[in-house]
Amino acid sequence: MGNKIAVLGAGTMGPGIATTYALQGYEVSLYSRSQSTLERAARVVASNMELFVEEGQLDIAAADAAKGRIRYTDSVEDAVEDAWYIAETVVEKIPVKTELYALLDRILPENVIIASNTSSLNIFSIMPERRKSHTVIAHFFAPAHILPLVEVVRGPETAEDVMAQAIALHQQCGKTPVRMERYIPGFIVNRMQGALTREVVHLLENGYCSPEDLDLAVKTSLMPRGMLLGLVERMDFAGLDMMVNGLTNKSYQPAPDPGEPKMFFDAVARGDLGAKTGKGLFDYSHLSYEELLQQRDRMLMQSVALAKAFMEHPLHKTEA
Ligand SMILES: NC(=O)c1ccc[n+]([C@@H]2O[C@H](COP(=O)([O-])OP(=O)(O)OC[C@H]3O[C@@H](n4cnc5c(N)ncnc54)[C@H](O)[C@@H]3O)[C@@H](O)[C@H]2O)c1
């Protein structure tokens, strides 16, 4: 491991990822094509650090030092110079990632690790051949500076040492890396979320309950219990005989394909895109977008602290 990391892409995810590495003491270069994106990214990084200071997780001197470790550049060549690890987080489009990987292949020494933050693409199939042993997916969750999970996914030719280094890096940064031995679209969490989203759309679109009551139901049951038991340990507490009964009786039938649910398509046509426009399925117009994100992030930090405490004391026996 060296001391310099390049984060390529400074949109929604790049600033949070750069914040994470800089806080751990790495020199980070954050690349984006345009100066305006880089300027916005610098403001987001500053506000991330401010939040940690306000919440008592960082002192001002450490926040200033971490901010000073991030350098902003509009040149890929400049960004990757001397970097041992590249966090690629450009837009989720195959042609864009393909072109970037071809450029990286031309300019990087062979032992540099390329880690993509893709949410769903099989980037292993578009990576130039000789880079495949040094490629992983390291998938963060938004907001990346707050949520601990990083799904670290192995490609068919990824070297074990590269997996180990990617995992060690994120452990060192206080994240919770989770290993996936091979690629599947959506990895773990977006597959869970995708299955749940289908049910949410089905229940709302067909008027089984209101959006308020749906959220109330899960926030007072599934979610708090899930923070403690997850989804697998939960099965042990329900009883595997109950699970077997349920599976045998086919008592649960998944919701049908939602097609083009009117409720969602109409909202988008009206311009009600959610928090970012002040209105989606709920109304947020009492706060600016920035205030809303700040409030969300403060509260998220509290629930992450609780989740971490639960992780440290699992109910089942562990090897340690
Ligand atoms: N947004 C999320 O919540 C989220 C969560 C986890 C992972 N991801 C993944 O992270 C990656 C980045 O997502 P994002 O939401 O931050 O993206 P984004 O659309 O906000 O932009 C990312 C960056 O890509 C750059 N970009 C756009 N077109 C480009 C081009 N033609 N050439 C070079 N750079 C270009 C932009 O300038 C920007 O710096 C994607 O792979 C996405 O799947 C996103």
Side-chain angles (χ1 to χ4, degrees):
M1 287 189 182
N3 193 38
K4 185 173 164 200
I5 291 179
V7 177
L8 306 181
T12 306
M13 296 301 287
I17 296 173
T19 300
T20 300
Y21 298 140
L23 281 173
Q24 187 50 43
Y26 286 99
E27 296 296 328
V28 177
S29 48
L30 181 54
Y31 154 84
S32 190
R33 292 170 307 169
S34 76
Q35 277 307 321
S36 60
T37 308
L38 290 173
E39 281 160 20
R40 193 187 54 205
R43 288 196 297 275
V44 175
V45 165
S47 135
N48 292 346
M49 301 292 182
E50 212 176 289
L51 180 67
F52 286 127
V53 171
E54 282 171 15
E55 292 298 303
Q57 298 198 0
L58 199 63
D59 64 47
I60 292 178
D64 284 345
K67 266 191 288 185
R69 282 192 287 272
I70 304 179
R71 206 167 54 78
Y72 299 84
T73 175
D74 61 3
S75 150
V76 174
E77 288 85 347
D78 179 28
V80 303
E81 202 183 347
D82 297 329
W84 69 277
Y85 185 94
I86 312 289
E88 174 278 299
T89 187
V90 298
V91 69
E92 186 82 330
K93 289 185 181 164
I94 288 196
V96 175
K97 293 200 194 272
T98 307
E99 197 181 316
L100 178 59
Y101 297 158
L103 170 61
L104 293 177
D105 187 36
R106 288 196 296 279
I107 60 180
L108 288 181
E110 276 195 19
N111 59 352
V112 174
I113 296 176
I114 303 177
S116 175
N117 185 40
T118 180
S119 300
S120 58
L121 302 175
N122 185 356
I123 53 96
F124 301 108
S125 65
I126 56 170
M127 189 58 69
E129 204 56 43
R130 66 189 176 128
R131 299 282 163 188
K132 288 185 173 173
S133 63
H134 279 65
T135 300
V136 292
I137 290 171
H139 179 238
F140 284 76
F141 284 78
H145 57 298
I146 296 178
L147 290 182
L149 178 63
V150 182
E151 290 167 320
V152 181
V153 186
R154 173 181 221 136
E157 291 163 53
T158 308
E160 175 49 36
D161 174 50
V162 170
M163 281 295 280
Q165 286 188 66
I167 287 168
L169 167 66
H170 295 100
Q171 271 167 344
Q172 185 195 44
C173 293
K175 292 288 176 190
T176 306
V178 163
R179 238 183 119 101
M180 292 199 73
E181 296 305 338
R182 62 201 162 95
Y183 167 85
I184 180 169
F187 320 129
I188 298 173
V189 177
N190 282 342
R191 293 188 74 80
M192 303 297 137
Q193 192 156 264
L196 284 173
T197 300
R198 191 163 169 146
E199 295 297 341
V200 170
V201 171
H202 181 65
L203 292 175
L204 295 185
E205 184 69 6
N206 292 292
Y208 287 103
C209 59
S210 67
E212 286 82 358
D213 281 343
L214 193 151
D215 271 358
L216 187 62
V218 296
K219 285 185 190 181
T220 52
S221 59
L222 201 60
M223 303 292 179
R225 188 180 65 189
M227 272 178 89
L228 178 66
L229 298 179
L231 294 177
V232 180
E233 198 175 47
R234 191 287 293 179
M235 292 178 184
D236 278 342
F237 281 83
L240 297 186
D241 48 343
M242 297 293 290
M243 291 288 307
V244 165
N245 274 343
L247 291 169
T248 318
N249 300 339
K250 307 235 178 294
S251 53
Y252 166 72
Q253 294 296 322
D257 187 323
E260 294 188 359
K262 192 168 160 27
M263 176 171 189
F264 293 84
F265 278 63
D266 285 356
V268 171
R270 284 195 305 272
D272 292 338
L273 306 184
K276 63 187 166 191
T277 60
K279 195 166 182 220
L281 298 169
F282 298 113
D283 191 337
Y284 307 91
S285 55
H286 59 304
L287 293 175
S288 72
Y289 185 47
E290 287 69 30
E291 288 166 339
L292 189 60
L293 292 192
Q294 255 194 16
Q295 233 179 70
R296 178 202 65 180
D297 290 351
R298 275 182 217 290
M299 290 176 174
L300 262 182
M301 283 169 88
Q302 292 176 29
S303 65
V304 164
L306 193 55
K308 280 192 167 171
F310 287 154
M311 264 161 40
E312 280 162 20
H313 302 286
L315 292 168
H316 61 265
K317 227 162 120 176
T318 58
E319 276 171 24

